Each structure stands twice: as C-alpha cells, then as structure tokens.
Amino acid sequence: NPYRFEAIISNNGSSTQDVSMVTEVYDLTNQYVTFSDLTSPLTLPTGQQDTFALPLAWTPSNIGSYEAKIWGSGTASSTDTVYKQIEMTNYTYGKDNNVFDGGYWVSNAQTQNYITSWYDIYANEDLHAIDVFISPATTAGTSIHAVLYEEDIYNFGNPIFLDQSDDYIISASDVGNWITIPFTTPFSLQSGISYSVGVGGYLHPSDTLAIGTSGNSLGTENRLFDQIGAYNNGMPQWYYILNIPMI
C-alpha cells in the first residue's frame, strides 16, 4: 500500500515565510535513502498554520525497517524534524506506534463499545484475523470478539457491518500483550474499498476489557461505537476518537 505524508506546519516566528514540507525515507535494512519529496512553498504569515501534503506517494519495495524524516523548510529558518518509524511486513497492516501509551474501555459494568480503526485497501486481500493489544486494565477470563465494517465515504457515521468473529476468552498471559483473533472464514477485501476493523465486548458487573492505544490521529479514522447508549441517554452512537487503537 502506498504511503502519503502530511503535516501541519505553524509559523511561530516574527516574520512571514514561504514554507515547504520536506520528507525523506531511509531504508534502515539496506542503508540508503529510498524516497524524498517536497511540497510547493506556501506563504505563512506569522502566527498562522497550514496543512501540507506531499504530491507523491511512497510505495515501499522491500520488507524491512524504515525511518521517515519530516520537516518544514522556510525562507529564513526550518522547523524541528519529526521522525517516524515504519515496519514493512508481508501480512500485517497497522498504523499505531507499537508502544502502549493508554487505552480505551471496550466493556465493563457501565459500557459496551466497539473500538474500530479505518484502513484503505489498495490490492485484493483475504483478511484472516486481527491483532489487538490487550490493556493491563483487562480482567483475565473476559470475552472479546473482532468486527469488520465497510466504510461508506458518503456517510461516515454509518459503516456497513460485514462480519464478526467467535468470542475469544482472554487468558492471564494475554493481558498486557498482543493477541490474534481469527475470523471463522477469511473475508475477501476489495481494492479501492475502505474498511474498519475493531473489537467488541460485553457489559459485565465485574469483568473489564480495555485495549491499548499508541499515538495520536487527526480524529476521523478511529471510532468508538457506544452500543448501549451509555454516553447518550440510552441511544447508541458513533464517536470519533483521537488516540490510535492498537489494532
């Protein structure tokens, strides 16, 4: 799948600058710069910010580890550099930072949610399972299941339900670790379609279920579905969430 790089750049200086976003991707396995690009300059008055997006997408050619460097280059100065670590694999598709930094409740005595994450598909693939990081706040013996939705780009608040896995019972060794939840049969994902994968649980008086988060997002590609209306006077509702679920 191709990578597209974007950044929000602010001019915190005392004068107007013409600013470009610059990106380089370094192949850590083979030790060379495999991609570089920059945007056309935008004029940023002092105290203003804008969103920059590279004109070219990067398509990795090798399995392995990469580091992306992203910075803004202005007329008279440059921004700090942001470093992003990327791991290319044959079969795993993820977007979190793989470092546990928080979590979302899936279910407990008050809530019963789906936590989902959006993925664009660029080649036909079969989905066999999802991996999810189980938060240390989870009770061993709790049930969890995977869900799959097709996204409707014209109606973001109402994804189309496609499939649900059998229940998976969390063991003590699963807590604080990644687990794999298989679907009963592989589901064929189609190129050009966007999907959301997620997990759900069940309201329970004592069992708790939470999954890990890692990093922050722009707020439109990760969501929480309140199945029982715990946050909305009994009415089920989808919500955007800003922390990236480890799914």
Side-chain angles (χ1 to χ4, degrees):
N1 293 334
Y3 269 75
R4 296 193 178 275
F5 294 95
E6 298 181 1
I8 297 173
I9 299 177
S10 301
N11 181 3
N12 297 323
S14 58
S15 61
T16 296
Q17 295 205 51
D18 293 331
V19 179
S20 295
M21 168 189 164
V22 187
T23 300
E24 290 183 352
V25 179
Y26 190 73
D27 184 329
L28 296 173
T29 304
N30 298 296
Q31 300 291 301
Y32 68 96
V33 174
T34 183
F35 173 83
S36 63
D37 195 19
L38 76 164
T39 65
S40 298
L42 292 177
T43 299
L44 279 185
T46 182
Q48 300 296 308
Q49 67 178 34
D50 210 331
T51 300
F52 294 72
L54 288 186
L56 298 179
W58 169 56
T59 301
S61 56
N62 300 310
I63 301 301
S65 300
Y66 297 85
E67 181 179 73
K69 298 193 300 182
I70 306 166
W71 70 96
S73 178
T75 307
S77 62
S78 297
T79 68
D80 294 337
T81 300
V82 174
Y83 296 86
K84 294 290 185 180
Q85 305 303 312
I86 302 169
E87 190 72 28
M88 299 305 303
T89 69
N90 280 320
Y91 305 112
T92 301
Y93 190 4
K95 60 186 182 184
D96 62 86
N97 292 333
N98 198 27
V99 178
F100 173 76
D101 61 18
Y104 284 115
W105 287 114
V106 180
S107 59
N108 52 35
Q110 292 82 36
T111 59
Q112 181 175 309
N113 303 321
Y114 286 143
I115 307 296
T116 67
S117 193
W118 177 310
Y119 290 93
D120 297 320
I121 300 300
Y122 296 90
N124 294 342
E125 299 286 353
D126 288 335
L127 175 66
H128 293 261
I130 71 164
D131 295 338
V132 59
F133 187 90
I134 303 301
S135 166
T138 299
T139 305
T142 302
S143 296
I144 188 173
H145 54 272
V147 291
L148 173 67
Y149 288 89
E150 180 181 330
E151 291 293 344
D152 181 352
I153 62 172
Y154 301 106
N155 190 358
F156 289 122
N158 291 285
I160 302 163
F161 176 81
L162 297 177
D163 203 3
Q164 179 173 321
S165 73
D166 291 338
D167 286 346
Y168 177 107
I169 306 301
I170 294 173
S171 68
S173 62
D174 291 332
V175 177
N177 287 296
W178 288 93
I179 66 170
T180 299
I181 306 174
F183 287 95
T184 304
T185 57
F187 192 95
S188 295
L189 306 179
Q190 303 301 309
S191 176
I193 302 295
S194 297
Y195 300 88
S196 280
V197 294
V199 293
Y202 304 101
L203 195 72
H204 193 279
S206 58
D207 287 350
T208 60
L209 173 60
I211 65 168
T213 59
S214 182
N216 300 316
S217 67
L218 295 178
T220 58
E221 70 267 31
N222 306 298
R223 284 180 292 189
L224 178 154
F225 181 54
D226 174 12
Q227 299 181 63
I228 62 173
Y231 313 125
N232 191 33
N233 298 317
M235 297 293 293
Q237 178 69 43
W238 283 98
Y239 299 92
Y240 292 123
I241 53 179
L242 296 180
N243 298 323
I244 302 175
M246 298 177 75
I247 300 175

